[in-house]
Amino acid sequence: MALDLVTIAIIDMLKGALRNQPNIPENAFRISLASPDEGAADADLVLFLYLVTPAPELRNTERRRPWPGANDPPLLLEPAVPLELHFLVTVGQGAPAGPAGLSRLADAIRAIESASPLVVPGAFQNGIWLSLLPLTSDEMARIWGLFPNENCRTSFAFRASPVWIDPREAPPVAAPVSDDSTRGGRVLEPAA
């Protein structure tokens, strides 16, 4: 559940940043969540989740959050898995050609850099950091190599971390101890 809600929050944040300009109508920009060869036809920007990895620095960190509601006391959730989501953002074929299309990519970069920390309350995700990734041309070529029939377009990559995958249910809570006396066995009488 967290992966989809975090991705939707990123798309909404990008749409808000793109339309936050003078004389831009509410639904002026289309952002497609798809691979660059599938979702680029009508989109201004294409967001592609190309890699999901564990967040190594948080691997042994305890995950505490309210369960099941925001007003409940926090519980330790085990196993909760911290992940890093790696996205590619590219100009879609629906974007204007030339500098206007590149300015949308620049607006997306600006939005990614200014959105941290991203908060997604519906998924109990607080403090998701969005960071641009400095990919080499070889790394970018490997990503675009996934789409052999698609021409490489100007693009950038960023990471969203940490995105927590919580267990589906709260851990069972043991019943409180109501009687601390012990019974059992036979009582030995002292010898006279």
Side-chain angles (χ1 to χ4, degrees), residues 111-152:
I112 295 295
E113 281 295 301
S114 64
S116 290
L118 186 67
V119 177
V120 186
F124 294 99
Q125 303 287 325
N126 298 325
I128 300 171
W129 293 93
L130 307 178
S131 319
L132 294 175
L133 295 174
L135 298 182
T136 66
S137 56
D138 287 340
E139 291 168 324
M140 191 64 80
R142 273 186 254 144
I143 294 170
W144 278 98
L146 297 171
F147 317 105
N149 297 326
E150 189 68 27
N151 290 331
C152 181

Side-chain angles (χ1 to χ4, degrees), residues 66-91:
W67 189 290
N71 295 326
D72 293 337
L75 293 176
L76 175 63
L77 299 179
E78 290 181 329
V81 181
L83 298 176
E84 295 181 345
L85 309 181
H86 301 255
F87 291 95
L88 179 75
V89 179
T90 186
V91 177

Side-chain angles (χ1 to χ4, degrees), residues 32-36 46-51 86-90 143 146-147:
S32 175
L33 175 63
S35 62
V46 177
L47 181 68
F48 174 57
L49 177 61
Y50 71 92
L51 182 64
H86 301 255
F87 291 95
L88 179 75
V89 179
T90 186
I143 294 170
L146 297 171
F147 317 105

